[in-house]
Amino acid sequence: RRAGRPPVRPHEVAEAAEKLAAEHDLVLVEGAGGLLVRFDETGATLADAARLLGAPVLVVAHAGLGTLNATTLTTEALRARGLECPGVVIGSWPAVADLASRCNVADLPDSSGVPLLGAIPQGAPALPPADFRAKAPGWLAPRLDGSWDAARLAA
């Protein structure tokens, strides 16, 4: 809106993802801002795009204080819309985790109703792509083809 450009519509997101899926094994659609952030004046959201795709929604959560509430509200909104949520990944795990972050590792699955499937270390996006790809399996649970274990993170 601020740039004066037309809004992205859920059907455009779905069409672009479907085109990419025809040529790739995996297509990820990132929804910056959250599941229910409005795309346009009609109130269309990322949830609408996920519904059009029939795609599961992996929730990326903050590590610290407030994440139990925000993540639980997001997973409840997904369930209310009939959308599948395979789990939650913590998007930026701090180098030195505070008490709230460490407790959230244990509490997120119970609160959100979905498993915790990984934690990406703070600063990881700055890694060169080859290094990121090489290290990513250690940040993701076996369900996402990784070797990460939540119990180790909480310790």
Side-chain angles (χ1 to χ4, degrees):
R1 277 191 316 241
R2 287 184 165 276
R5 303 206 46 189
V8 175
R9 309 277 184 200
H11 75 274
E12 295 169 333
V13 173
E15 289 169 7
E18 287 168 350
K19 285 180 186 174
L20 288 167
E23 299 177 18
H24 301 279
D25 294 334
L26 176 66
V27 176
L28 297 175
V29 177
E30 180 180 359
L35 181 70
L36 301 180
V37 172
R38 294 169 54 120
F39 278 5
D40 58 26
E41 68 284 348
T42 69
T45 66
L46 183 63
D48 297 316
R51 182 183 43 75
L52 289 171
L53 284 164
V57 178
L58 183 67
V59 175
V60 178
H62 176 70
L65 192 62
T67 201
L68 295 178
N69 182 63
T71 305
T72 300
L73 288 170
T74 300
T75 57
E76 285 181 3
L78 287 165
R79 282 190 290 278
R81 287 162 176 76
L83 296 170
E84 176 192 353
C85 179
V88 175
V89 171
I90 296 172
S92 183
W93 184 256
V96 178
D98 62 11
L99 180 60
S101 296
R102 292 191 313 272
C103 290
N104 288 341
V105 171
D107 295 340
L108 266 169
D110 289 336
S111 175
S112 68
V114 296
L116 184 58
L117 296 178
I120 310 301
Q122 187 175 23
L127 291 171
D131 291 347
F132 187 97
R133 280 190 301 275
K135 292 180 179 190
W139 307 330
L140 302 172
R143 182 162 180 196
L144 298 177
D145 295 329
S147 59
W148 179 82
D149 177 16
R152 275 194 330 241
L153 186 65

